[in-house]
Amino acid sequence: MKCKTIHKKLIFFLEGDLPEAEMQKIKAHITGCADCEAFVREMKKTLAVVQMETPAQVTPWFYTRLKARMEKQEEAERQHAGFSIWEKVLQPVLFTIMLLAGVYTGIEIGKEATTGIPATDYANTEVVPYFNELKAEPLESFLME
């Protein structure tokens, strides 16, 4: 037998899962081949380490707790789905109403501030002098200086 064939069947050989004729052929090859004998020793050490490791103990209630947690999460997602109407429709509507109320309130406050001054007097005394600065000083005299 070739060494590659031995390496492929080595695990089955060590566990005793091969037919008796093949087991004898592999034993004969291992005793005659130093490389395969070293490989068998390393493989036995590796398997010994793996067998020494204790498997994780699964608690009997693990599945029950996991299932309960998953159901709780699904319930929370279903409850959150009910809020999609709030997020998609009602929240923008409420924001728009509040914005319009703020604009309306600002307009009303602005009306109250100017109600004491007549519109023509306000324009003549407050706004017009800023627009008519050129009458106070002609542009030519300003540029000539």
Side-chain angles (χ1 to χ4, degrees):
M1 287 188 124
K2 293 183 179 181
C3 291
K4 284 187 178 184
T5 308
I6 299 295
H7 291 187
K8 288 180 182 178
K9 297 181 180 184
L10 191 59
I11 296 284
F12 301 110
F13 170 75
L14 293 174
E15 292 180 356
D17 292 341
L18 295 175
E20 191 61 37
E22 251 186 286
M23 294 281 282
Q24 294 302 324
K25 287 181 185 178
I26 292 174
K27 280 182 188 178
H29 179 83
I30 290 172
T31 55
C33 181
D35 290 337
C36 287
E37 187 178 1
F39 189 73
V40 168
R41 275 183 287 174
E42 289 299 317
M43 185 62 76
K44 283 182 179 179
K45 287 180 187 177
T46 304
L47 289 175
V49 169
V50 170
Q51 288 175 353
M52 284 176 44
E53 292 292 322
T54 57
Q57 297 294 327
V58 179
T59 61
W61 305 108
F62 175 75
Y63 177 74
T64 307
R65 288 193 318 257
L66 180 64
K67 187 176 177 184
R69 182 181 282 179
M70 289 172 59
E71 289 172 354
K72 184 178 178 183
Q73 186 176 3
E74 288 175 0
E75 181 65 29
E77 288 174 1
R78 273 190 245 121
Q79 287 178 351
H80 182 69
F83 289 112
S84 64
I85 294 172
W86 164 251
E87 292 172 352
K88 292 180 181 178
V89 177
L90 296 178
Q91 194 175 22
V93 168
L94 181 64
F95 178 76
T96 304
I97 290 171
M98 290 176 58
L99 181 66
L100 291 174
V103 169
Y104 177 76
T105 304
I107 290 172
E108 290 300 315
I109 290 173
K111 284 182 183 177
E112 290 178 11
T114 58
T115 54
I117 304 171
T120 56
D121 290 341
Y122 178 76
N124 288 335
T125 57
E126 300 293 326
V127 178
V128 173
Y130 292 112
F131 291 128
N132 291 329
E133 284 183 358
L134 294 176
K135 287 186 180 179
E137 184 175 354
L139 183 62
E140 293 84 17
S141 63
F142 176 75
L143 292 174
M144 297 298 263
E145 293 178 2

